Amino acid sequence: MTVAGDVVLQVEDLHKSFGSTEVLKGIDLSVRRGERIAILGSSGSGKSTLLRCMNVLEMPTRGRLILDGEAVGKPAAGGATRYREAELNRLRARVGMVFQQFNLFPHMTALENVMEGPLSVLGRPKAEARRTAQRHLERVGLGGKADAHPARLSGGQQQRVAIARALAMDPEVLLFDEPTSSLDPELVGEVLGVINDLSEDGRTMLLVTHELGFAYHFATRILFLHEGRILEDGPPEQVLKSPREERTRRFLDRFTAFRF
Amino acid sequence: MGYVWDFFAVARNADILLAGLGQTLLLSVCGIAVGVAIGGVLAAMRLSGRRTLSWPALAFTEFYRNTPPLVHFFWFFYGLPMAFGLTLPPFAAALAALGVQSAAFFAEVFRGGILSVETGQWEAGRALGMGRVRLMRRIILPQAARRMAAPFVERSFELVKTTTLAAALAFHETIYSAMVIVTQTYRPLEVYTVVAGLFFVVLFSASQIAEWLEARGRRAGAR
Amino acid sequence: MPTITMPELQFGEVFANIDLLLEACGLTLALWAVALAAGLSGGLLVGLARLSPRRWIAWPARGYVELFRNTPVLVQLIWFYYALPVVSGIQLPAFAAAALALSLNASAYCAEIYRGGIQSVAAGQWEAGRALGMGRLRLLRRIILPLAVRRMVPAFTNRAVELAKNTSVASIITVHELMYTARLFSSQNYIPMETFTVVAMIYFLLIYPFTLASYALERHFAAGRA
């Protein structure tokens, strides 16, 4: 099912260089409300960098972001954009992120991790933050682990808490940066299951992943990145089963040899 | 060996020695306070990401970390005031020297602790939309503080030992008091042995307590 | 209210007599070299003693290390210069007393560096060596110390820096090294500000190369591990 809502996040002519290496070479992308986009590509293709540029954890070298019709930042010399800190904070509060390494706050319990954003960024009252945090933990199946510190949780459980933490901000767009890549194989399923369950909310999500099978079922749209450019952009059926480009075919062959 | 030890010579003057020890502790506490305050500013400057702030702070810390504290005691006691036609009381000069010198070390303790927090923690905070100040206070400092604890205690002990140099400015701390007693009793062996023992008891027991607290903190942190 | 006069600095005066200060560096360097050499060799013995499974060896070694680490270096210098003669009947010259005290001090700190370095070597290395039939000493020399050395070298450079700064304290027991000469010079010429600033710079130039070396070594070893 393709949800054709209005454009919620737009990326225009995005470039990113690290030193002399250009990782992103001009990305244009319109994300519509309710879309679930899986971003595929081999390592070094720039897929994680693209995701990290979308909430400016990585500062784009050139190009701009438009969230809900409003351009973020002010144009600067050379096509770059300058961002004020307060503006970035507002953007990030509306664009959630789940990291490959979970990055839970080790000095806080699972519940406190989930409460932190609503409490200190959105300024919610403590009792309310606690209630919604508990609800989000239950949503990811960890209602019973509210008082556990991250060190006491398995990798899969930590990542589920991290998802609850991102959800608690009620973001308009939720970014997943290889959320299962640092998990033991037997823990991958529980995390993908939680992500899949989020589909029913109709929330806009972008997912960088190597799990082609999951991408096929989960995504409404698939991007294939190669050397910093979008090579394919279409529904899963088309990109995964009949890709236009030879590059994409070769990439998929490496997986399908075992998977399908 | 025919030497007859006479610790009564020390005992009779215990009040002078204890007063000196009191001054040592006072200078230590004030020194730590000044050192932590200046050190905090220096660390913030070095972490600011602006060269106009970080380079002067770097030069300052490198200079004071690589020169003997005794020079700075003399500089603040004789050098600075005389150049301006003033006099500074020994306590003030010692405190200034100690504060500035230890600040360089405290700055490194703070900076090291903050830098030891993984970049993922900064990113996770930023991804929630936290501003710099809130991120620092809620996420980074609580984690950095644990890692700073041990080096902070170590630097503080170094500072306590360094306060003895104030004796060279005729400040009545423990060693100066001991010297006064020696001139009265001619018992350097007993007096200086007792002084060494005093420092040892204070510093060793304090370090044992700090170690115990740290081990307890680690256990609590692993929970 | 004291009137504040703007300083008229006379650095020319200090630089005119810079040879006096530079000559005094000789004793500073001598004290530094003696104590460092003694610390590196004595520290190894004490460090090994602390690791001994025999309590009658390990405990006195620990006592010695704790004693010197938990008392101010000034107290140690004063004790060896003023107190030791009373019990030994021998008055050491100031330089000898300072060299002795600083050597014992450095040995205590170096012992901890050796101990930490040796303990940081994984147990597997000891087992591998033993499995080859190596004795304790050979194992230590051929396997453990070479492995431990990369952790210890930056710590030793750091210790050398602390030691260099400590040599200045010898001025208080009248060793005529750089600091002592500086005090004399400044009180004779009434230019303490200029003198102590220049002396601080001299110390900095003597010491800073060691600090830079320790940075370089740390980077080198960190890169080697990655």
Side-chain angles (χ1 to χ4, degrees), chain B residues 1 3 62 65-68 70-71 74-75 78-79 82-84 105 161 164 175 192-193 196 199-200 203-204, chain C residues 7 66 69-72 74-75 78-79 86-87 109 165 168 179 183 192-193 197 200 203-204 208 211 215:
Chain B
M1 199 73 76
Y3 186 76
E62 290 296 78
R65 270 155 44 95
N66 289 282
T67 43
L70 190 55
V71 183
F74 286 127
W75 195 87
Y78 296 109
M82 194 179 278
F84 288 92
F105 286 93
K161 290 189 270 177
T164 56
I175 296 200
Y192 292 133
T193 303
F199 272 107
F200 179 78
L203 289 171
F204 185 70
Chain C
E66 296 289 7
R69 279 159 47 98
N70 288 292
T71 47
L74 177 57
V75 172
I78 286 179
W79 197 90
V86 178
V87 71
Y109 279 95
K165 294 193 278 177
S168 69
M179 194 69 226
R183 288 174 67 185
M193 167 90 150
T197 304
Y203 272 114
F204 184 78
Y208 200 51
T211 299
Y215 291 160

Side-chain angles (χ1 to χ4, degrees), chain A residues 149-170:
Chain A
H149 277 86
R152 282 288 195 82
L153 300 174
S154 73
Q157 290 171 331
Q158 287 190 52
Q159 191 59 300
R160 283 147 66 194
V161 174
I163 293 171
R165 179 174 71 179
L167 281 177
M169 296 293 286
D170 194 19

Side-chain angles (χ1 to χ4, degrees), chain A residues 52 57 85 89 92-93 97 99 103-108 116 120-121 149 165 169, chain B residues 120-121 123-132 134 138-139 142-143 146 222-223:
Chain A
R52 291 163 57 83
L57 276 183
E85 203 200 322
N89 295 339
R92 288 168 180 154
M97 176 82 136
F99 298 90
N103 295 343
L104 289 184
F105 306 131
H107 58 302
M108 298 180 181
E116 183 59 27
S120 78
V121 177
H149 277 86
R165 179 174 71 179
M169 296 293 286
Chain B
Q121 293 295 311
E123 293 194 341
R126 264 187 232 132
L128 287 177
M130 289 190 178
R132 280 171 75 93
R134 182 171 294 137
R138 305 271 315 167
I139 309 298
Q143 297 183 58
R146 265 199 195 136
R223 196 165 22 96

Side-chain angles (χ1 to χ4, degrees), chain C residues 156-174:
Chain C
F156 282 134
T157 2
N158 203 12
R159 189 36 43 197
V161 167
E162 291 304 312
L163 187 56
K165 294 193 278 177
N166 280 342
T167 60
S168 69
V169 181
S171 66
I172 297 180
I173 59 165
T174 72

Side-chain angles (χ1 to χ4, degrees), chain A residues 4 29 52 59 64-66 68 72 77 85 87 103 124 144 146 154 179 222 239 254:
Chain A
L29 175 65
R52 291 163 57 83
M59 190 71 70
R64 61 175 192 161
L65 296 169
I66 301 164
D68 270 336
V72 184
E85 203 200 322
E87 198 178 15
N103 295 343
R124 299 266 188 274
S154 73
I222 289 196
V239 175
R254 294 209 314 258

Side-chain angles (χ1 to χ4, degrees), chain A residues 78-127:
Chain A
T81 304
R82 285 184 52 183
Y83 304 90
R84 283 183 307 112
E85 203 200 322
E87 198 178 15
L88 279 186
N89 295 339
R90 278 199 302 277
L91 164 77
R92 288 168 180 154
R94 292 163 65 188
V95 179
M97 176 82 136
V98 174
F99 298 90
Q100 181 180 345
Q101 303 289 345
F102 333 137
N103 295 343
L104 289 184
F105 306 131
H107 58 302
M108 298 180 181
T109 63
L111 189 74
E112 286 165 345
N113 263 279
V114 183
M115 284 169 66
E116 183 59 27
L119 201 63
S120 78
V121 177
L122 303 179
R124 299 266 188 274
K126 197 159 189 175

